């Protein structure tokens, strides 16, 4: 009697913010990092990432990232 499927759960987080420099992923102000969302599939995370990134094309230092949180939780997890 479990409430979860037998397949592995994948968790993708989309975050973004203004970087100090374009050559390194170091945020200018961590208190202003934007959490876009958490997604169960890479395809959904990519859609959210792309939409948010396209909305900020006027600011060259704004960057958004897809974090594969399932890899942080379980390093043996696939993709």
């Amino acid at each position: 009697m479990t409430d979860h499927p037998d397949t592995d759960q994948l968790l993708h987080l989309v975050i973004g913010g203004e970087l100090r420099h374009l050559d390194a992923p170091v945020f200018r102000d961590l208190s202003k990092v934007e959490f876009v969302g958490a997604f169960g599939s890479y395809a959904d995370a990519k859609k959210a990432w792309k939409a948010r990134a396209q909305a900020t094309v006027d600011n060259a230092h704004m960057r958004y990232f897809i974090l594969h949180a399932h890899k942080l939780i379980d390093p043996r997890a696939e993709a």
Side-chain angles (χ1 to χ4, degrees):
M1 257 187 125
T2 62
D3 58 354
H4 55 83
D6 291 335
T7 60
D8 291 337
Q9 288 187 349
L10 301 181
L11 178 62
H12 303 83
L13 304 178
V14 180
I15 64 165
E18 194 168 2
L19 300 181
R20 288 186 188 171
H21 306 285
L22 295 178
D23 58 349
V26 178
F27 292 105
R28 186 170 298 215
D29 184 351
L30 284 176
S31 68
K32 294 182 181 178
V33 169
E34 177 186 357
F35 176 73
V36 177
F39 304 89
S41 75
Y42 179 76
D44 290 340
K46 187 174 179 181
K47 286 178 194 173
W49 165 81
K50 188 174 183 178
R52 196 63 196 111
Q54 287 179 339
T56 60
V57 293
D58 293 338
N59 185 345
H61 283 82
M62 280 301 275
R63 292 290 191 270
Y64 287 85
F65 302 92
I66 298 174
L67 302 175
H68 302 280
H70 53 273
K71 288 186 178 181
L72 300 173
I73 296 168
D74 182 2
R76 298 169 296 160
E78 294 293 320

